Each structure stands twice: as structure tokens, then as C-alpha cells.
């Protein structure tokens, strides 16, 4: 059963923009915490951004390296999370993965990949200088 499907990756020049989408289905569509991670060749997977929501509202979290350039958002009606990436740099080149936490999990650290239960297949982002 497909849970998370990413799209929107591609190749751009430095300074350009891309918007990644992550469509959730099945159990992942009920998640209250979703995030984006990335993995560059030869490097470990790293946190990019996350969004959580409760009855009191939404919260967003960003890695220092993308603050001010990337924006995470969610369209609940479409069960889709977006990552708007602006002012892209060559060091942003990586495979980007969408992740979602099980609806009953209490996520303590949104930047910790082990807190997420569902993962997409990834989408490649390449930024040339």
C-alpha cells in the first residue's frame, strides 16, 4: 500500500527555486507530523524541515542550513505536504525524502528520522553552480 509519493524534483541553477510535493495516502494521511529529509552522495541523511499540527495550530521546524530559504506547508484537503525551496545552492543537491509519523506516535524530536514511520521513495534535486 503506497503511503507517501514525492514529486517536483529536478535540475536547476544556483539561485533558482523548486517546489516538492508529497502526497500521503493510507495511514500516512492521518499523520500529524510530517517532514522532509535529504541525503547527498556519500553523506548521511539529514533533516530539512518538518510541520506538525494539533488542535492549537501548526508548528514548523527547519534545519539551520535552509532557514529563510525553504518553506514547508501542508494542504489538508489534498493530504499533501509541500517544500518550497528558494535561493537554491549547489550544496542543496540531494535526494529528498518525505516522511510521516504514525498518528499515535508522540514525536519528541521532529529532526530525528527514527521518529518517522512512513517514508517516500525520494526525489532527486540537483543544483548546478
Amino acid at each position: 500500500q503506497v503511503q507517501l509519493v514525492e514529486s517536483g524534483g529536478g535540475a536547476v541553477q544556483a539561485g533558482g527555486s523548486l517546489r516538492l510535493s508529497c502526497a500521503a495516502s493510507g495511514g500516512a494521511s492521518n499523520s500529524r507530523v510530517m517532514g522532509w529529509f535529504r541525503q547527498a552522495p556519500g553523506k548521511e541523511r539529514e533533516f530539512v524541515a518538518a510541520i506538525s499540527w494539533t488542535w492549537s495550530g501548526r508548528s514548523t521546524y527547519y534545519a539551520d542550513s535552509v532557514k529563510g530559504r525553504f518553506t514547508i506547508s501542508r494542504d489538508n484537503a489534498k493530504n499533501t505536504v509541500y517544500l518550497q525551496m528558494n535561493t537554491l545552492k549547489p550544496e542543496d543537491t540531494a535526494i529528498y525524502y518525505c516522511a510521516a509519523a504514525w498518528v499515535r506516535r508522540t514525536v519528541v524530536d521532529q529532526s530525528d528520522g527514527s521518529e518517522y514511520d512512513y517514508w517516500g521513495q525520494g526525489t532527486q534535486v540537483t543544483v548546478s553552480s
Side-chain angles (χ1 to χ4, degrees), residues 43-87:
K43 294 187 177 181
E44 293 187 352
R45 182 182 64 194
E46 66 174 0
F47 169 74
V48 177
I51 185 168
S52 63
W53 55 95
T54 65
W55 63 271
S56 62
R58 297 186 179 191
S59 297
T60 56
Y61 311 84
Y62 297 95
D64 288 343
S65 59
V66 306
K67 279 182 182 177
R69 299 189 298 123
F70 291 11
T71 303
I72 188 171
S73 62
R74 174 178 166 116
D75 184 332
N76 285 333
K78 297 181 179 180
N79 286 330
T80 300
V81 171
Y82 303 98
L83 185 68
Q84 178 65 45
M85 307 185 294
N86 298 327
T87 318

Side-chain angles (χ1 to χ4, degrees), residues 33 35 37 47 49-52 61 107-113 115-116:
V33 181
F37 291 76
F47 169 74
I51 185 168
S52 63
Y61 311 84
V107 176
V108 176
D109 182 356
Q110 289 79 10
S111 68
D112 185 351
E115 297 264 30
Y116 295 84

